[in-house]
Amino acid sequence: MSGGVQRHGGRGGGARPGAKVRRGVSAIGSVCLGVALAACGHLVPSLETVYGEAQVMDSDQPPLVVVHGIFGSQLRDAHTGQAVWPPPDDWNRRSVSSSNVELLPAHAHALSEPGSQYALGGDLFRVLEEFGGYRRAEAGARPTGDGHPYYVFLYDWRQDSVEIARQFDSFLGEIRQAHGDPKTRVDVIAHGTGGLIVRYYLRYGTKDVTRNNDFAVSLAGSQYVRRVILLGTPNLGSVEMLRTVAVGNEIDGVSLTPDWAWQLPSLYQFFPHPISQPLLSAAGEPADLDHFDIETWVNNQWGPFTSPPFDRAHGNSSYRRPTMEKYLERARRFIWSLTVPTENPTVRYVVFGGACHRTPAKALLEADGGVLRLRFGSDAPSEHAADTELLLHEPGDGLVTKSSLLARQTFDPTIARHRYSDFPLLYAAFFCARHNQLERNYDLQNNLLNALLSADPT
């Protein structure tokens, strides 16, 4: 066995797969017989010991749906079958159409490989199957055999988030049809930005509320969902997404240029929420600059408006400016639609994430020849080197900060939540694990199974 379970004793004194386990003192006591008495005070029982009965007990456990996040699925061209992500050598031409900046249709055929920066690793599925009594099923096919069915929702993460929410609705419809019950509800585990897709769906269903500023929360999708567990979800956005569009980034060894990244609608919708004040002045104070305003990007030569690749002489702005302006405004509304206050939510979130790694949280603005350059982390001006840790980083999982995970404008718990940061939190737990290794942490696995299998109402 691999991952956190092995490091903490694996199956140790637990029962064989599928066997019933007597819970309580006798089960724990039997494990202690196999270790020194001095160690019993620090005993970590195997997951099989604690959850072994889940594999053989009949219950009303609903279907489970697992949702990945951005960069979380492998993509193929829908027409040619050639790879879009991870990209081939000519990925810049295959990923987008330079003539109309519309995404070429792509099919998500598998999750990204474990180890990828944003990947949902295989340990989650192993834990669900070995200790949670779950088994993989396909949406649309009637589930057969023993165990609780779980499904993986694959999608093209480059697309607009509202469109993905509509696909998620269709996916749940296939599950309900396969189960022969139009009232079937599911549990959801959402990793990374996949949690924002689920949150939008719970609030608005398939309705597009980003066409204006009237965010009338209907809770339309909540009727089909029982529980939601968010793993490393940037509930107030991620400065890494801003970095990717503004100056470029490196993901899994692939250099993403702004000339490519700006054409992906989803990236904008995961920008930092304005209430998190992600831009800092040279003095380290919140800057009065709107990162959702197209003028900010054009005037400061960010993203596709740099030179090169932006070439004013050849009129590249003729489609870049209006298209990006549309993406920015739509993203602004999407982000606010997730946090405007609502009454009587029927689903409250269980939130798990990392909180012990240095995580990018802010960007510094540096005046340079009449424009403001964005500086991230080690790119910050040398005069701020000593303050970089304090200014630009917060605790998190390396990609998602603790404050964003909690949908709070600050990680300081003594400061009240912003009034426009509505987030129906049931409870949260923090672990020392990086974003792509969260599900390998034994304590997270234990908490996850307990949340999923609990018979107590939420």
Side-chain angles (χ1 to χ4, degrees), residues 37-311:
L37 286 175
C40 283
H42 303 284
L43 178 67
V44 180
S46 69
L47 294 175
E48 188 175 43
T49 298
V50 181
Y51 300 102
E53 286 187 39
Q55 300 182 61
V56 294
M57 292 176 63
D58 292 328
S59 71
D60 295 327
Q61 194 71 13
L64 172 66
V65 177
V66 179
V67 183
H68 64 80
I70 198 165
F71 302 110
S73 64
Q74 300 179 50
L75 306 178
R76 290 177 179 167
D77 188 295
H79 299 302
T80 66
Q82 294 178 304
V84 172
W85 186 269
D89 292 339
D90 57 348
W91 62 278
N92 238 7
R93 294 191 297 276
R94 294 194 184 281
S95 295
V96 294
S97 167
S98 59
S99 62
N100 57 14
V101 297
E102 294 293 335
L103 297 182
L104 295 177
H107 170 66
H109 67 94
L111 291 170
S112 294
E113 292 292 333
S116 169
Q117 288 173 253
Y118 291 87
L120 183 60
D123 271 39
L124 172 65
F125 306 106
R126 178 183 58 79
V127 167
L128 290 174
E129 293 174 6
E130 291 190 17
F131 309 115
Y134 287 92
R135 54 181 172 73
R136 182 75 175 264
E138 296 297 327
R142 187 169 184 80
T144 59
D146 297 328
H148 319 305
Y150 78 89
Y151 306 83
V152 178
F153 174 57
L154 294 170
Y155 59 93
D156 182 351
W157 42 263
R158 305 170 306 161
Q159 296 180 16
D160 179 86
S161 297
V162 177
E163 173 57 31
I164 299 173
R166 289 170 171 168
Q167 295 171 23
F168 184 65
D169 176 72
S170 298
F171 188 82
L172 297 189
E174 291 180 11
I175 294 175
R176 292 193 298 272
Q177 184 176 17
H179 283 257
D181 183 357
K183 295 183 179 180
T184 295
R185 300 168 72 195
V186 302
D187 288 346
V188 177
I189 297 175
H191 182 251
T193 55
L196 303 183
I197 306 297
V198 174
R199 287 181 55 206
Y200 182 93
Y201 176 72
L202 293 183
R203 282 184 161 228
Y204 306 104
T206 60
K207 183 178 181 180
D208 185 356
V209 301
T210 66
R211 300 182 185 278
N212 53 52
N213 294 316
D214 181 20
F215 310 129
V217 180
S218 64
L219 302 178
S222 298
Q223 62 182 310
Y224 302 119
V225 177
R226 185 186 71 156
R227 291 174 177 164
V228 174
I229 299 174
L230 303 178
L231 300 181
T233 292
N235 289 300
L236 283 189
S238 167
V239 74
E240 286 295 280
M241 297 298 103
L242 176 63
R243 178 178 188 164
T244 302
V245 178
V247 302
N249 212 338
E250 185 172 298
I251 307 297
D252 299 332
V254 178
S255 179
L256 303 184
T257 65
D259 199 38
W260 174 81
W262 82 271
Q263 300 173 85
L264 308 187
S266 60
L267 291 179
Y268 302 87
Q269 294 165 346
F270 307 139
F271 277 7
H273 197 295
I275 65 174
S276 67
Q277 298 180 307
L279 304 181
L280 301 180
S281 68
E285 299 295 329
D288 184 19
L289 195 67
D290 184 0
H291 56 289
F292 289 99
D293 188 344
I294 189 63
E295 296 298 333
T296 297
W297 291 75
V298 173
N299 294 339
N300 293 295
Q301 299 177 12
W302 295 356
F305 304 108
T306 58
S307 180
F310 181 62
D311 186 352

Side-chain angles (χ1 to χ4, degrees), residues 8-55:
H8 292 270
R11 291 155 82 135
R16 65 184 182 279
K20 279 211 173 188
V21 177
R22 292 184 61 197
R23 303 192 181 210
V25 177
S26 61
I28 300 300
S30 67
V31 182
C32 280
L33 291 176
V35 297
L37 286 175
C40 283
H42 303 284
L43 178 67
V44 180
S46 69
L47 294 175
E48 188 175 43
T49 298
V50 181
Y51 300 102
E53 286 187 39
Q55 300 182 61

